[in-house]
Structure formats: structure tokens, C-alpha cells
Amino acid sequence: MGLFNRKTDAATATATATAVRTVDPALAALTGTYTIDPAHSSIGFTVRHAMVTNVRGTFGDHEGTLHLDGEDPSRSTAAIEVGIAGIDTGIADRDAHLRSGDFFDVERFPVMSFRSSSAEQLGGEKYRITGDLTIKDVTRPLSIDLEFNGAATDVYGNQRVGFEGSAEILRSDWGLTWNAALEAGGVMVSDKVKLHFDISAIKQAA
């Protein structure tokens, strides 16, 4: 079930054929503004450590809104803010180092944010949303590939939608450059970071 499907009406096709959008009423009904439910959502990351293993972490403090257009997903938008102080990799000392000036410098830059600028359907349930990711005092473009997991009404009567997705960044592009050389060669922390999103959002009352 895609957020929209397209077809070409051959009966009215001309030399400059016009695409006619066919809208599923059930999907059109999803149009609206949604609030991300942090209790049922996860924003996290994976980064290579010491060249041989992965460190996984989450940001427990996040909030955001989605505006979904079930008739035309290209008009959908997203805005997310993440509190860096809530970072959790399972080791308190490492988390403290990540909050320090070597990395996120939480005292000066407590929040990272994403604001979308465009959205597109890649096919089926897959979408791509592009926007600006701000970490510390650096803002750069980021594209996130998402899969629409569907919609449902929960036991409290809330209409929910679900998405999961991922993106890759080079942390150095956002000024996160701290590292340490290993005796055997290589570095302690990879520059490449994989971001993970598992989002459940509740539709706001009209």
C-alpha cells in the first residue's frame, strides 16, 4: 500500500502526456499532522570502534512532528529535535566523553535537529526525505531512506503511523573529529556513522 499511485490515462494522452494520480481514500485519510511518540520510537546510531566491532547507541530524548499528505507525499514534512544529553551507549564513561567538548559539547550545543525540505516516493512503501541536519553549529543536507510500516488505531483510540529508516553520515562533516590512533594502525572511532530511525507517531486532533 503506497502513499500514492500514479497512472497514465491513455484516452487523454497527448504529445505531452499528463500523469494522473490515483488516490487511495484510506491513504488520503492519513493526511494530517502527527506527533512522534518517544515512548514507542527510537533514534540511534552505529559506529565502528577500534576497527573491529560496532558501538551502538540511542538518543532517549527526542521529539518531533510529521505532516503527512496521503494524496501527495512530496508535500509531506518532518521536524525532529534530539537532546544530546540523553545519549546512551551502555557505558557511562563513554557517554560522558561523547557529551564533552571532544564530541558533541552538550553544554554549548544541547540539541541536534533535522528539518525536511523535500520528500519523494522511491517505489512501493519506500520513501526518501531530504533536509538539513544541524549538529553543534554546523548545518548540512541529509537524506533519510524510510519504509512506511502502516497505520493503525491503538487501544486508546489514537491513530498511529509507523516508519523505519536509515542514513549514513561522515561525522567529520559536522565537526565531530576527535580520534585516537591505534598501535596496530587505524583509528579508535570510524568517521562513518549509520543513523537508525524507528518512528511511531500519533495523529493530532483536527
Side-chain angles (χ1 to χ4, degrees):
M1 182 174 68
L3 288 181
F4 73 94
N5 301 308
R6 295 175 182 237
K7 69 178 182 180
T8 300
D9 187 348
T12 59
T14 63
T16 56
T18 302
V20 178
R21 182 177 297 120
T22 301
V23 178
D24 182 337
L27 295 175
L30 298 180
T31 297
T33 299
Y34 293 74
T35 300
I36 293 175
D37 177 8
H40 296 93
S41 301
S42 176
I43 297 177
F45 63 91
T46 304
V47 62
R48 184 74 73 180
H49 177 261
M51 308 297 292
V52 297
T53 190
N54 289 318
V55 168
R56 294 175 174 81
T58 59
F59 296 99
D61 179 15
H62 59 268
E63 61 182 22
T65 57
L66 312 174
H67 179 76
L68 304 184
D69 191 319
E71 298 186 10
D72 184 355
S74 69
R75 298 187 297 192
S76 298
T77 61
I80 300 173
E81 291 192 346
V82 177
I84 303 299
I87 195 169
D88 182 5
T89 66
I91 298 178
D93 287 347
R94 181 166 59 205
D95 296 341
H97 189 198
L98 290 170
R99 296 185 190 104
S100 76
D102 284 344
F103 285 95
F104 288 105
D105 197 359
V106 168
E107 290 190 3
R108 296 177 60 205
F109 307 103
V111 174
M112 70 176 176
S113 64
F114 176 79
R115 297 286 185 275
S116 69
S117 56
S118 65
E120 60 180 315
Q121 185 181 30
L122 301 179
E125 307 297 342
K126 298 185 183 301
Y127 299 85
R128 178 171 293 148
I129 188 163
T130 298
D132 292 323
L133 175 65
T134 299
I135 302 175
K136 299 174 76 170
D137 56 352
V138 179
T139 299
R140 294 180 62 89
L142 175 70
S143 292
I144 304 171
D145 288 344
L146 296 165
E147 184 168 358
F148 177 53
N149 287 339
T153 301
D154 66 21
V155 295
Y156 302 105
N158 299 312
Q159 185 174 9
R160 290 179 178 267
V161 293
F163 294 88
E164 59 182 313
S166 62
E168 289 189 357
I169 66 170
L170 296 179
R171 61 188 179 91
S172 59
D173 288 344
W174 280 266
L176 302 175
T177 57
W178 182 91
N179 227 321
L182 301 174
E183 289 185 8
V187 292
M188 181 69 73
V189 186
S190 170
D191 191 22
K192 183 171 70 174
V193 180
K194 298 179 182 179
L195 304 177
H196 311 286
F197 305 87
D198 194 348
I199 301 298
S200 177
I202 299 172
K203 191 174 187 179
Q204 298 179 4

